[in-house]
Amino acid sequence: AHHLARSYRRSGQGELSRKTLIHAAYHHPLNWYGILALEELRGLDPYSALATEHTLVPAYRGPLLDPQWDETPQTRELRDKLRALATYGLTEGILQESRAAGIEHHAGRTAWVAGVLTDLGAPREASKLAHSALETHGVHSPLDGLVELWQLAYPRPFREAVERHGHKNQVDPRLTWAIMRIESRYGTTAESHAGAKGLLQVMPKTAQWLAMLRRESGPLDLFDPLQNIELASDLLGRLHEKFAGDVPLMLVAYNAGSGRTRSWLRKVRA
């Protein structure tokens, strides 16, 4: 819908473009293109953007979910067991106990456990658990409720590093988190068959090239989340400059390389 709106605007159909942007922003509030649609709408029609944001407030500011641990002696026992496991940072144990108890059938308890996992530095596991609960409850949009679970399903790990390097390289932090989610599902030790490594799946050769451009000679550890974020943000910043901020082209180049992307563009435009 976002690209359709841009096509309408280029063809002089401004009103149709505006309506399409509103549709994209409203129906896809957590989707990257829904976010972009709202950004463009702010420049095109600030009043419509404000009205759309007002209707989206429930998608961003829902009430906290009550885990209702005091419901029965069994639920209190489960809570105490999970707290004990969290004290020792036993992520796998928390997941096993939660699954055995069918925790995803209770939204409030799932949110509580996912929050504990997030605090323990396990956003990947927290996201999976939150998504499982959303599917179990048949909730397909934050506008349908369970906002806290949606926020846990789309975490923003390593926030300070992502925002700092994003600002430095003119990269929207939300784009970095979106790539992180798709490429590794927030896994710091993820490795693809092609050899891409870490949170943002940086190829070793790409990392070496970036290090050369940055005149850095130290060891490269792409499984170090902070180094991975720094290098990936640098790459995204360079792609932002090469492709004039065109996000789809930046993402194609991030995965396939700038040379291939330009070659494909030449063929398409020939």
Side-chain angles (χ1 to χ4, degrees), residues 175-239:
L175 178 59
T176 305
W177 281 309
I179 295 172
M180 195 182 293
R181 171 180 165 74
I182 295 299
E183 293 287 348
S184 71
R185 201 66 179 258
Y186 315 108
T188 58
T189 60
E191 185 169 5
S192 73
H193 295 299
K197 296 179 179 181
L199 273 175
L200 290 142
Q201 292 292 277
V202 179
M203 291 293 288
K205 285 187 177 180
T206 302
Q208 291 167 6
W209 172 71
L210 288 168
M212 181 186 69
L213 293 177
R214 293 152 61 97
R215 298 182 180 179
E216 295 175 350
S217 57
L220 292 172
D221 180 6
L222 294 177
F223 293 131
D224 176 345
L226 300 183
Q227 192 171 89
N228 195 284
I229 290 167
E230 182 176 0
L231 290 169
S233 298
D234 187 347
L235 177 58
L236 286 167
R238 294 174 191 276
L239 294 175

Side-chain angles (χ1 to χ4, degrees), residues 17-89:
S17 174
R18 185 184 70 84
K19 289 180 178 179
T20 306
L21 287 173
I22 292 172
H23 176 88
Y26 180 80
H27 289 284
H28 306 284
L30 291 183
N31 180 287
W32 171 248
Y33 291 107
I35 294 168
L36 280 182
L38 188 57
E39 293 285 342
E40 289 196 20
L41 193 61
R42 287 193 184 106
L44 185 68
D45 184 352
Y47 178 80
S48 292
L50 188 63
T52 303
E53 283 184 287
H54 181 73
T55 62
L56 288 175
V57 166
Y60 298 106
R61 301 177 191 169
L64 294 177
L65 299 169
D66 185 356
Q68 299 176 327
W69 288 120
D70 292 325
E71 192 173 57
T72 66
Q74 289 79 16
T75 57
R76 287 196 293 273
E77 181 183 353
L78 175 62
R79 175 200 60 196
D80 294 341
K81 188 180 294 185
L82 292 171
R83 279 179 174 168
L85 290 167
T87 299
Y88 293 99

Side-chain angles (χ1 to χ4, degrees), residues 90-154:
L90 299 174
T91 301
E92 192 56 41
I94 293 172
L95 288 169
Q96 288 176 0
E97 291 293 337
S98 298
R99 289 170 184 146
I103 205 93
E104 69 274 8
H105 294 284
H106 193 290
R109 288 170 202 158
T110 301
W112 187 90
V113 173
V116 168
L117 290 170
T118 300
D119 291 341
L120 288 174
R124 178 187 180 96
E125 291 76 9
S127 175
K128 285 183 178 180
L129 187 63
H131 270 289
S132 176
L134 289 168
E135 290 175 8
T136 298
H137 290 274
V139 178
H140 304 293
S141 164
L143 289 167
D144 298 330
L146 303 185
V147 175
E148 187 181 1
L149 274 181
W150 280 100
Q151 292 170 340
L152 290 161
Y154 292 85

